[in-house]
Amino acid sequence: MAAAVSAASVWRQSLAQAALLLLRRPGVRGLARSGRISFYMTNYGEEGTHVGSAAALDSTDLVFGQYREAGVLMYRDYPLELFMAQCYGNMSDPGKGRQMPVHYGCKERHFVTISSPLATQIPQAVGAAYAAKRANANRIVICYFGEGAASEGDAHAGFNFAATLECPIIFFCRNNGYAISTPTYEQYRGDGIAARGPGYGIMSIRVDGNDVFAVYNATKEARRRAVAENQPFLIEAMTYRIGHHSTSDDSSAYRSVDEVNYWDKQDHPISRLRHYLVSHGWWDEDQEKTWRKQSRKMVMEAFAQAERKLKPNPNLLFSDVYQEMPAQLRKQQESLAQHLQTYGEHYPLDHFDK
Amino acid sequence: MNLFQAVTSALDNSLAKDPTAVIFGEDVAFGGVFRCTVGLRDKYGKDRVFNTPLCEQGIVGFGIGIAVTGATAIAEIQFADYIFPAFDQIVNEAAKYRYRSGDLFNCGSLTIRSPWGCVGHGGLYHSQCPEAFFAHCPGIKVVIPRSPFQAKGLLLSCIEDKNPCIFFEPKILYRAAVEQVPVEPYTIPLSQAEVIQEGSDITLVAWGTQVHVIREVALMAREKLGVSCEIIDLRTIIPWDVDTVCKSVIKTGRLLISHEAPLTGGFASEISSTVQEECFLNLEAPISRVCGYDTPFPHIFEPFYIPDKWKCYDALRKMINY
């Protein structure tokens, strides 16, 4: 009994922290809107899917994401400084400033770098799971994608390969109601994504994505069986995208404020978790206030720090295309260097590392 | 060994040396439609040599995922004509994996092999040479052998190379080309063209099957015109060996490039453009490209379509007389 209580308290701490941190990531979207970063994608409303699933995995399980899974990386303690560095493309970005914001990646935390093309990660995740099976690593792969990406051919390919090649993988679909402006009624006409699983021979379950414990339990069981049985599992987590698709989107153009408010006020994963914690006496209004203030401060400090940093040296435009730099590319690198010697005043060199 | 046996030998060496290496694709388990994987499943087990469902985008995506974990993935696409469903995975994913992640992740241990080129009766969808589509994609390597000995060495280099590679195998040579090939592993360097015959009057560049065509053309040129040809097998399409080709053209002053793939946008255009930049003052005649026509690859008209030795000879003759 004592063990259960202390486990629960560790649980509630980590969940509360992670969830509330995500809830109150003040103004990253505002930064993009004000032009300080070029672009951003929020995760509002889907925090339960991130934290519930991430908590059920081993820390070495490999994660392939789509782009709306920042909470998974956050759960694995990826520092705010590095989230910000990637968004700003500054010289602290482990990605070396190569991609748009939110295209995070972290080798130590086993989170494969995000790419923009949708669903391409699905067959890749299956291959990684196959390799994990062969390596007897007691490791699974989890692959996140939205209900829109599930329409891509790569999703069909991935599901079929996972089943026929008996791969220890969890397919985790965030069904959040929209693919940019396209509602689910225009995305598919069958019974969602979970119903497709049996067509491939994949055990599937649909869960309330805004119930963090349901997500946790489903992922936990799927992981246990994936390792034990070397087969894929499909979890469709029903949730709602409270935010716009991205900072380039204004969703009032295609959905009502009333609809968004319902989810924000009546069925929000963080509110539901908070009510649960409060009802057990594990959280209260004062802790809430303190934590919000603290997390806002942490985030604003991380912004300010990230914004002050220089961008990486322009030579990093040319490296990592191949493991080694080909002769022709080296020539191009030299030609840019020469060009900048004469025309450098027309380039934002002051913002870049020398 | 013939060419498909040389491929089998390379794959055998790879799986013997590297316990993570796996081979997969359509119909590879029973030995493959061109017999390149015969015997390997029995020798190495069904978890290492296995069929996938019929889905090229899945094959390549799956292969990328294996490679991301550091294991060696050798994927087969049954005909190069069918590589296009996998184009997104190759161009947008494999080629960019290392760059976009800041070198945190890569799929360098992926090699894709695929039968390539005209075969006498292949028509639109069993004859294509798609190297030009991939030449425009920084981040991958594209390699094409002319013979069994070259095939084994180049394939082993591709498999060991730390970048994703596409290895196109001239299918018409699978059985027709036979030569001594060592049973033990060996490698031939990538991005190095080979001067297979030295000459002084004109440089001939080709790859794959077409190298044998220009070899014959060189004989004809010597006998009928007294012309001395320098023959270069490019071997790696990207990154390509600019220095060897330019060094040769500086010496000879004339360049003829020949490939089966259609003329417009074919890889000869890249070579021609670069050579005229680097060797402009050395050129005695415009650079000549003898290629397939700008049509899909026809079935019954194949003998008229291909850039055969007569077309190459005629272009050479015009260049010499320019």
Side-chain angles (χ1 to χ4, degrees), chain B residues 116-120 126-131 144 170-173 205-211 213 257-264 266-268 290-298 302 305-308 312:
Chain B
W116 167 102
C118 77
V119 70
H126 298 82
S127 313
Q128 287 179 51
C129 298
E131 66 273 9
I144 307 175
K171 64 178 84 67
I172 200 172
L173 299 179
V205 175
W207 48 90
T209 319
Q210 201 66 8
V211 173
V213 174
I257 313 153
S258 186
H259 57 61
E260 287 169 30
L263 177 73
T264 298
F267 198 66
V290 185
C291 302
Y293 300 118
D294 289 334
T295 71
F297 201 108
E302 176 165 333
Y305 172 90
I306 54 174
D308 61 23
C312 292

Side-chain angles (χ1 to χ4, degrees), chain A residues 131-181:
Chain A
K133 176 173 80 166
R134 281 210 73 239
N136 264 314
N138 193 0
R139 202 184 180 205
I140 62 118
V141 175
I142 188 162
C143 182
Y144 295 90
F145 52 95
E147 86 286 349
S151 295
E152 282 280 0
D154 272 345
H156 160 71
F159 296 158
N160 199 24
F161 275 54
T164 54
L165 300 174
E166 299 170 1
C167 300
I169 181 169
I170 299 173
F171 293 115
F172 194 104
C173 177
R174 296 176 293 97
N175 188 329
N176 65 12
Y178 288 91
I180 308 188
S181 70

Side-chain angles (χ1 to χ4, degrees), chain B residues 95-115:
Chain B
K96 298 172 169 60
Y97 231 89
R98 189 188 296 276
Y99 187 81
R100 74 190 186 199
S101 69
D103 199 20
L104 296 179
F105 296 95
N106 71 79
C107 58
S109 56
L110 170 67
T111 301
I112 301 166
R113 327 171 10 254
S114 191

Side-chain angles (χ1 to χ4, degrees), chain A residues 124 130 154 317 322-324, chain B residues 47 97 99 140-141 163:
Chain A
Q124 292 172 22
Y130 189 87
D154 272 345
L317 187 166
Y322 298 89
Q323 191 196 45
E324 70 290 345
Chain B
D47 61 318
Y97 231 89
Y99 187 81
I140 52 171
K141 298 192 178 181
N163 303 285

Side-chain angles (χ1 to χ4, degrees), chain B residues 55-78:
Chain B
C55 179
E56 289 75 14
Q57 67 194 98
I59 290 168
V60 174
F62 178 82
I64 290 171
I66 290 178
V68 167
T69 70
T72 298
I74 306 167
E76 178 178 302
I77 298 296
Q78 198 160 84

